[in-house]
Amino acid sequence: MQILKNKTNIDFISKRKPALFLSTVLNLAIIVGIAAFGFNFGVDFAGGTVVEVKFDHPIKAEEVRERAEKGGLPDVSVQNIGAAEENTFLLRMGGVTQLNEESGAKGKAALEALGNVRNVYVDMPNGIIRFRAAQELPTDAVKKAVEDSGIGVQEVRELGEAQGGTGFDYQVVASGMADRVFAALGQGLEKPDFEQRRVDYVGPQVGKQLRNRGIMALLYSMVAILIYVAFRFDFKFGPGALMAMVHDVIMVAGYYLVTRREFNLTAIAALLTVVGYSVNDTIVIYDRIREDMAKFKGKPFAEVINIAINDTLGRTILTSGTTALSLIGLLIFGVGEIFDFAMAMLVGIVVGVYSTIYIASPLTIWLDERAAAKEARQREGGNIDQQQPKVA
């Protein structure tokens, strides 16, 4: 299929300096923004709870959020999934259990109010309140006291008498956030008008490990691609491909920064896909540059690159356009993480084509000019040495 019937002769390379300046400014702005504001990490990375609920009647996400807030869940994120008539939603919130600093303090005060209670320790990561009582306490009384403070209780464990007869040890296990969601959405109803279909918990430590491993996977893939490009072509081509990849990753990360969409494992998958797409486009042009270097010997390197970019322009439009069309379908019909992935990929395609022309190619030209200047200096030095008269 031929997109461009006539061969183009667009002078892309002459615009490389303003393009490099614009790219540098944008990349620095995104990096500063990430350092200052950070990403909106999803449950995958920040830890928390995801609950999927399905209602038995038509309802909007705003109404679900309003019910959750009235039930005591102010920081819940509600997202519609599937078709609108399915009435299915994902509710995301931080924390795995109902214990946090505020609720833990209330629970501690409630236990101390029972009398003869000491050594109260709130273990928020594990969702447990440990305490010691001077005398045995009814578990029902302990449970009621904690629940009256606003914390759901899964069970109260009696650990028996402490060593040395200094009291009796207890553990109060807080309910998960899913129980709180169920109670909040069903508040004031005789019978719940929804069902919980799925509950996912991610602890903060697990989320941190997932985040670190995702970043390392991204870095390893970029290093591997750099090595491949350096061996396949020439050393001067490798840095250009690497910088183009870094540029594309930063720009796609900027999409998540500006829109405040959730940055999660799907975002890492999008970045990895963008890296692969970017280097594929770069390698196609590098191949044509290598062919044209042999075909147009004696021409300036910048001119050879310009010819190569124009030669592959039709192919670039065709491949990028068809990929973008499939993504537009996902943007129209997709929701949630599918929409985020498609939008990140669309941004990646646009900046990937741009970086191949205005990041990878100019850097390759600069390295070639630098190598030529070094060779010229060495040649001049050799000529001077030959011209110096020998002393007998």
Side-chain angles (χ1 to χ4, degrees), residues 10-288:
I10 304 171
D11 190 5
F12 291 102
I13 299 302
S14 65
K15 313 294 189 304
R16 65 183 186 273
K17 289 183 178 179
L20 280 171
F21 174 77
L22 177 63
S23 298
T24 303
V25 170
L26 284 175
N27 277 251
L28 288 175
I30 292 170
I31 291 170
V32 170
I34 292 172
F37 304 104
F39 291 112
N40 177 27
F41 286 120
V43 172
D44 293 344
F45 292 158
T49 305
V50 177
V51 180
E52 181 182 336
V53 295
K54 179 177 172 61
F55 288 84
D56 56 14
H57 60 88
I59 189 170
K60 295 181 180 179
E62 292 78 12
E63 297 175 68
V64 177
R65 186 179 297 107
E66 186 178 347
R67 282 173 61 169
E69 289 175 350
K70 286 182 178 178
L73 292 172
D75 298 325
V76 66
S77 168
V78 180
Q79 175 186 327
N80 183 277
I81 60 173
E85 58 270 17
E86 291 182 15
N87 303 307
T88 305
F89 301 87
L90 280 182
L91 283 76
R92 292 184 171 91
M93 63 222 79
V96 175
T97 70
Q98 298 183 30
L99 274 185
N100 52 41
E101 290 186 8
E102 183 181 352
S103 63
K106 291 180 179 178
K108 182 178 179 180
L111 288 171
E112 290 173 342
L114 292 173
N116 296 320
V117 173
R118 60 184 186 278
N119 299 337
V120 181
Y121 172 68
V122 181
D123 184 0
M124 284 189 293
N126 294 310
I128 296 174
I129 302 177
R130 299 181 175 90
F131 69 93
R132 180 170 294 174
Q135 57 188 15
E136 287 190 84
L137 296 174
T139 56
D140 290 342
V142 174
K143 182 176 181 180
K144 185 178 186 307
V146 176
E147 286 181 337
D148 288 346
S149 71
I151 303 173
V153 177
Q154 182 177 331
E155 64 173 321
V156 178
R157 298 171 181 169
E158 295 179 278
L159 303 182
E161 191 172 1
Q163 290 183 354
T166 56
F168 298 87
D169 291 334
Y170 294 86
Q171 286 184 349
V172 180
V173 182
S175 299
M177 290 298 293
D179 296 330
R180 190 174 176 188
V181 169
F182 190 87
L185 294 180
Q187 192 176 55
L189 301 176
E190 292 184 6
K191 182 182 178 182
D193 58 351
F194 62 93
E195 61 171 331
Q196 282 188 182
R197 307 183 72 179
R198 176 169 64 94
V199 178
D200 289 333
Y201 294 106
V202 178
Q205 291 301 320
V206 174
K208 185 177 180 181
Q209 289 177 1
L210 288 172
R211 183 173 69 246
N212 293 340
R213 289 179 180 178
I215 293 171
M216 292 308 297
L218 189 62
L219 294 176
Y220 288 151
S221 66
M222 294 173 70
V223 171
I225 290 171
L226 171 64
I227 294 171
Y228 164 74
V229 172
F231 273 97
R232 169 153 183 196
F233 297 98
D234 186 88
F235 175 76
K236 66 184 177 185
F237 288 94
L242 177 64
M243 290 306 298
M245 284 187 292
V246 171
H247 169 272
D248 296 347
V249 167
I250 293 174
M251 293 297 286
V252 175
Y255 157 73
Y256 285 98
L257 176 70
V258 173
T259 62
R260 307 309 293 170
R261 306 291 290 188
E262 283 193 356
F263 192 85
N264 47 28
L265 287 174
T266 304
I268 294 293
L271 291 174
L272 287 168
T273 309
V274 166
V275 165
Y277 188 91
S278 172
V279 77
N280 174 68
D281 196 49
T282 303
I283 284 175
V284 169
I285 291 184
Y286 275 1
D287 264 329
R288 182 56 64 93

Side-chain angles (χ1 to χ4, degrees), residues 1 277 315-328 349:
M1 182 177 180
Y277 188 91
R315 179 260 174 205
T316 300
I317 294 173
L318 183 62
T319 54
S320 302
T322 51
T323 308
L325 284 175
S326 64
L327 293 173
I328 289 172
I349 288 172

